[in-house]
Amino acid sequence: MSADAASRVCEFVVKQIVDNPDGVSVAQSETDGGIRLDVSVADGDMGRVIGKRGRVASAIRTVVRAAGVDNDLTAIEVEFVD
Amino acid sequence: MEWVETTGKTVHDAKETALDALGVDTDDAEFELINDARTGLFGRVKEEARVRARVRPTTPRAKDDHRRRRRGGKGRGGQGEGGQRTSNGKNRGGQKAKNGGESKGSSRGAKPKQGNDGEKNTDKGKQKSVSDEPTMSIEEQADIAEAFVADLAKNFGTTVTCDRDQVADDEIRVTVSGENIGRMIGQRGMTAGAIDELVRTVLQRHAGSGRGGRIRVDMGGVRARRAEALAAFVREQAASVRDSGVARALEPMDGADRKVVHDTISDEAGVDTASEGEDPNRRVIIVPAGDAD
């Protein structure tokens, strides 16, 4: 459930930020003790998602973790893939 | 908008100080270099770098800009008298595009958010789009911010309500409250800070160049309480600096908190502020007046 919340929040936030929301996809996979979200965006939107000095990217990570982390799920990784 | 003038050992330092004073991000500020630092023998600083900065009245955007925000935006230096004829024509196009742009804006997200936005803010939103403002009004920005936060909360599995306060001519504070809001605040307000950052990014995308003023999102009112507590703490520290004549460095804080410190100190006699370090370790130092570097 909370993994879904993390993934949902992640997709929502990224789509709000990019120029091309249709180009956004979030792939979820299991890691030991948690999940990993691989986010890919359309060409040219990567800079927007990462932001100056990675500020936006780290804000996304913080918010996604807050959405997903609970007793069962302790580790959520968010990676932005080219 | 007001300009502030700052100095530093390097241009970069001077800019950082200016950003602190303005309480904004590099993206939202505009700089003019007055003079570069000059170094003397053995790298000793002979003359400090001096810059002038202000909150950027319009944020130029490379992409997407022509879509709707180009209509005779004020504060664009390049668009002078010469451009009058063409800019007139452009203007009309731009205005038409505005209404179109509104619906385009909705379709592009293709998310429930947009519908929500329309519903919830019908009264305010409508009013604003009738008056043809050169920049996206701060109320419209607040609409976007509120819609974003409300939808974010939905994705968190909770519901929130937003209250807005016009805290200054160019600043609206949106206070968000609701059950289970704690998760959206986080330890030491970390999540709340991240949400504020995301709101800023979203506004940047929606409003583009037509963005003036500032929207502050305060989850659960923690920021207001924290600002009060911080100001009280700073006044205490200021008193001790004034009495002892010894400067005191505060712990590293983010830009919003540093602004609280600067604002508080500016109302205190006998003390001044200086800043050092770089984000996220940038900190304010309270110094006895007249000692400021």
Side-chain angles (χ1 to χ4, degrees):
Chain A
M1 185 57 207
S2 53
D4 291 346
S7 162
R8 208 168 53 223
V9 165
C10 185
E11 186 171 340
F12 166 74
V13 168
V14 174
K15 282 190 170 171
Q16 288 290 314
I17 289 170
V18 295
D19 278 328
N20 182 359
D22 294 335
V24 175
S25 66
V26 177
Q28 185 178 321
S29 54
E30 307 253 324
T31 60
D32 33 305
I35 58 161
R36 174 192 165 112
L37 301 173
D38 285 302
V39 180
S40 57
V41 298
D43 285 353
D45 272 337
M46 192 51 97
R48 205 155 261 256
V49 173
I50 291 175
K52 288 238 169 76
R53 294 194 212 164
R55 292 177 67 129
V56 179
S58 73
I60 292 172
R61 289 193 177 101
T62 304
V63 171
V64 169
R65 282 193 190 117
V69 168
D70 65 11
N71 294 333
D72 306 326
L73 183 61
T74 51
I76 298 175
E77 280 174 61
V78 181
E79 288 297 324
F80 299 94
V81 291
D82 260 322
Chain B
M1 296 263 179
E2 281 170 56
W3 289 90
V4 295
E5 209 175 297
T6 55
T7 58
K9 291 210 172 66
T10 64
V11 174
H12 182 258
D13 285 356
K15 282 185 174 178
E16 288 287 328
T17 311
L19 288 178
D20 271 10
L22 295 170
V24 298
D25 231 35
T26 328
D27 299 354
D28 299 332
E30 187 174 289
F31 294 103
E32 268 176 30
L33 180 63
I34 295 173
N35 53 260
D36 207 341
R38 291 198 307 149
T39 45
L41 210 51
F42 308 127
R44 284 181 53 193
V45 178
K46 232 173 165 182
E47 198 181 323
E48 295 205 302
R50 183 175 289 271
V51 299
R52 226 155 71 97
R54 64 170 172 175
V55 178
R56 195 188 290 277
T58 57
T59 316
R61 263 184 98 199
K63 274 188 293 188
D64 238 14
D65 201 4
H66 41 276
R67 194 178 71 222
R68 54 189 284 208
R69 290 295 158 200
R70 268 264 160 84
R71 72 199 113 86
K74 57 175 178 184
R76 285 190 148 256
Q79 226 164 280
E81 296 297 309
Q84 201 65 330
R85 261 175 305 139
T86 50
S87 95
N88 238 345
K90 259 189 207 152
N91 253 354
R92 228 170 293 129
Q95 251 149 23
K96 236 176 254 155
K98 194 195 177 185
N99 292 331
E102 225 77 273
S103 49
K104 194 175 173 193
S106 324
S107 64
R108 96 194 290 280
K111 296 284 296 178
K113 170 206 175 288
Q114 249 71 16
N116 200 353
D117 186 10
E119 264 169 30
K120 204 175 55 190
N121 304 303
T122 322
D123 40 351
K124 301 159 207 152
K126 283 279 151 58
Q127 256 173 16
K128 274 309 166 193
S129 51
V130 178
S131 67
D132 184 35
E133 298 199 8
T135 59
M136 178 180 267
S137 73
I138 190 160
E139 285 86 3
E140 278 177 281
Q141 294 181 47
D143 288 345
I144 293 174
E146 287 187 5
F148 173 77
V149 173
D151 282 346
L152 182 64
K154 217 179 289 166
N155 282 293
F156 262 75
T158 177
T159 321
V160 294
T161 45
C162 298
D163 291 299
R164 61 176 81 170
D165 285 308
Q166 183 101 34
V167 292
D169 277 351
D170 60 348
E171 183 170 342
I172 285 181
R173 184 174 58 214
V174 175
T175 306
V176 184
S177 49
E179 279 177 62
N180 294 327
I181 201 171
R183 276 209 309 170
M184 295 177 79
I185 296 172
Q187 279 179 348
R188 303 182 72 205
M190 223 172 68
T191 310
I195 291 173
D196 192 39
E197 176 80 35
L198 293 177
V199 167
R200 192 162 40 214
T201 311
V202 168
L203 286 176
Q204 190 104 359
R205 203 213 71 187
H206 278 274
S209 64
R211 199 157 78 95
R214 217 180 296 166
I215 306 287
R216 279 266 143 81
V217 173
D218 190 352
M219 305 300 293
V222 283
R223 184 167 267 183
R225 283 201 295 276
R226 190 179 148 79
E228 261 166 48
L230 179 58
F233 169 77
V234 165
R235 277 191 290 269
E236 256 169 48
Q237 298 300 312
S240 114
V241 169
R242 203 163 32 224
D243 294 346
S244 66
V246 178
R248 181 164 293 194
L250 304 179
E251 68 178 65
M253 296 173 205
D254 67 19
D257 284 348
R258 292 199 302 266
K259 178 151 170 35
V260 172
V261 178
H262 289 302
D263 289 351
T264 307
I265 292 295
S266 73
D267 292 338
E268 293 282 306
V271 283
D272 267 320
T273 49
S275 309
E276 71 172 19
E278 283 189 26
D279 274 324
N281 292 313
R282 192 161 173 76
R283 59 173 74 210
V284 181
I285 303 164
I286 304 174
V287 298
D291 255 26
D293 206 0

